[in-house]
Amino acid sequence: MLFPILIFGETKNTYKICSDEDVYYSTFSTSKTDSQILYIYNHETEKQINYYDQNGITQKFTYEDSLNKINYSAVLEGKKIILKGNSGDKNIDKIIKIDDDPWKQSMSYSLSEFALGKEEKIKFWIIRLDKLKGAKIQAERVKTEDILIGDKQYNAVNVKISTPDLLSNIWHCNYWFRSSDGLFLKYEGLNGLPGAGKTIIELFEKE
């Protein structure tokens, strides 16, 4: 798959991530070309790149972590996602079958348009990075509200994420996107089943 190299615009934002007792900072950057959007996550030795078309549908996803010897790619081919690469000493070579619902891998970007739209609920696919398996996910617009991050107040759209089955009563998480332009502001969710620790991601500064 060939990608154009002409970049029309780039943005970069830093986020504070609190997971259990750990606190660290990572960046999300966006590059727009004439035909696609690259959404890039960087943290120390880890780098994830999401390649979206202009409709916010993932076409390709790459994951690199030199410390843990992880390097693989996932490419959309029709109703299949082809994964190839390695994770530590294990080779990755598998196919994830999906249906007509789109692949939207990184929700902090791919759901921003949904947050500002008119649809109340959508279903889509992601790859679970912990198991390298496909998962059907449901997003629902909950409400628009004012939230406080640090000492700054934002008007934001709250989007609830869950699975479209009985497990939605057990597991869910929430995203907040700025109502003016869809900028990802905050994430809050459990790190597993009820009783597990919580992860909170918040916008730290905008460059």
Side-chain angles (χ1 to χ4, degrees):
M1 185 179 293
L2 299 177
F3 297 116
I5 59 174
L6 184 62
I7 303 296
F8 289 111
E10 294 181 288
T11 60
K12 182 179 179 181
N13 296 290
T14 300
Y15 290 82
K16 179 181 179 180
I17 302 175
C18 301
S19 184
D20 294 330
E21 296 181 355
D22 296 327
V23 178
Y24 56 96
Y25 298 86
S26 299
T27 62
F28 289 91
S29 58
T30 305
S31 299
K32 296 184 178 181
T33 73
D34 59 341
S35 63
Q36 67 178 186
I37 299 161
L38 277 62
Y39 188 62
I40 304 166
Y41 168 80
N42 276 291
H43 175 67
E44 297 180 347
T45 61
E46 180 183 352
K47 185 175 185 178
Q48 300 177 24
I49 305 178
N50 289 269
Y51 298 80
Y52 296 100
D53 65 15
Q54 297 296 334
N55 295 316
I57 299 173
T58 304
Q59 303 298 303
K60 180 179 178 181
F61 170 77
T62 62
Y63 186 109
E64 297 179 20
D65 186 338
S66 58
L67 179 64
N68 295 300
K69 299 180 180 178
I70 300 173
N71 188 338
Y72 64 82
S73 65
V75 178
L76 181 66
E77 295 185 6
K79 294 183 181 181
K80 297 178 181 179
I81 301 172
I82 313 298
L83 278 79
K84 291 183 179 293
N86 62 274
S87 179
D89 296 329
K90 297 181 179 180
N91 290 327
I92 301 171
D93 188 358
K94 62 192 304 184
I95 296 174
I96 296 174
K97 295 181 179 180
I98 63 174
D99 55 22
D100 291 330
D101 289 324
W103 178 25
K104 291 177 172 287
Q105 183 60 33
S106 184
M107 291 178 275
S108 58
Y109 176 82
S110 62
L111 292 181
S112 61
E113 185 174 349
F114 164 73
L116 303 184
K118 296 182 179 180
E119 290 184 282
E120 295 299 322
K121 187 181 296 186
I122 60 169
K123 295 179 182 178
F124 57 95
W125 288 90
I126 64 166
I127 298 173
R128 285 189 53 175
L129 301 185
D130 57 340
K131 296 186 176 182
L132 292 183
K133 293 184 178 180
K136 179 72 75 74
I137 299 295
Q138 176 175 280
E140 181 179 4
R141 292 171 65 243
V142 179
K143 59 182 175 180
T144 300
E145 59 185 339
D146 291 329
I147 63 172
L148 192 65
I149 298 178
D151 58 356
K152 189 170 182 179
Q153 183 170 283
Y154 298 88
N155 187 253
V157 179
N158 175 209
V159 175
K160 178 183 176 181
I161 305 299
S162 62
T163 55
D165 52 34
L166 295 177
L167 290 177
S168 63
N169 295 322
I170 299 176
W171 176 87
H172 67 272
C173 61
N174 287 274
Y175 285 81
W176 286 264
F177 299 90
R178 189 162 61 188
S179 60
S180 60
D181 59 3
L183 175 68
F184 169 51
L185 294 173
K186 182 178 179 179
Y187 164 89
E188 186 172 319
L190 296 178
N191 297 329
L193 295 176
K198 180 184 292 186
T199 293
I200 298 174
I201 304 174
E202 292 182 324
L203 179 67
F204 182 68
E205 62 179 13
K206 188 174 188 303
E207 297 183 8

